[in-house]
Amino acid sequence: MTASVGLLRPGTAAPDVLPEAVAAARALTTVEAFDVGVVRGHARVTVRFEAVDDTVARRIGWAVIERLDELAETTDGHLTRRYGNRWYPAGTRRRD
């Protein structure tokens, strides 16, 4: 799950955004990795987690986005699924 984070909502401190997004996912599943990076001048939050299927992954992804939306303006949220060493949009089948 990735999303760009813009202006923070009143009362939100920048160092709290990533831990809160991770906590939203961690309440539902195991979180494998997380990071904040800068892409084209915008902060981008990434939370990688385990999910048994795309339906569950979407539910967890929405929880992360909802929490991020409470803390800041967000754009271009993307949910991807890993097959081998490649990432595909959730819901697509891998090509062998």
Side-chain angles (χ1 to χ4, degrees):
M1 175 86 238
T2 61
S4 293
V5 176
L7 294 174
L8 300 178
R9 307 264 185 235
T12 300
D16 296 337
V17 174
L18 181 60
E20 290 291 327
V22 172
R26 203 171 264 153
L28 301 169
T29 191
T30 300
V31 173
E32 295 179 341
F34 49 90
D35 188 34
V36 172
V38 178
V39 178
R40 288 181 235 118
H42 299 280
R44 179 170 291 166
V45 169
T46 301
V47 180
R48 194 171 84 195
F49 52 85
E50 294 180 3
V52 296
D53 59 30
D54 287 346
T55 301
V56 173
R58 279 189 206 90
R59 194 173 311 129
I60 298 164
W62 275 113
V64 172
I65 289 293
E66 286 176 354
R67 185 61 184 132
L68 285 171
D69 282 343
E70 292 171 356
L71 301 170
E73 293 179 6
T74 60
T75 57
D76 68 337
H78 294 284
L79 181 64
T80 56
R81 185 171 191 90
R82 184 175 173 178
Y83 292 106
N85 63 351
R86 303 218 37 212
W87 294 89
Y88 298 92
T92 59
R93 299 276 183 212
R94 106 182 135 152
R95 295 179 180 99
D96 292 324

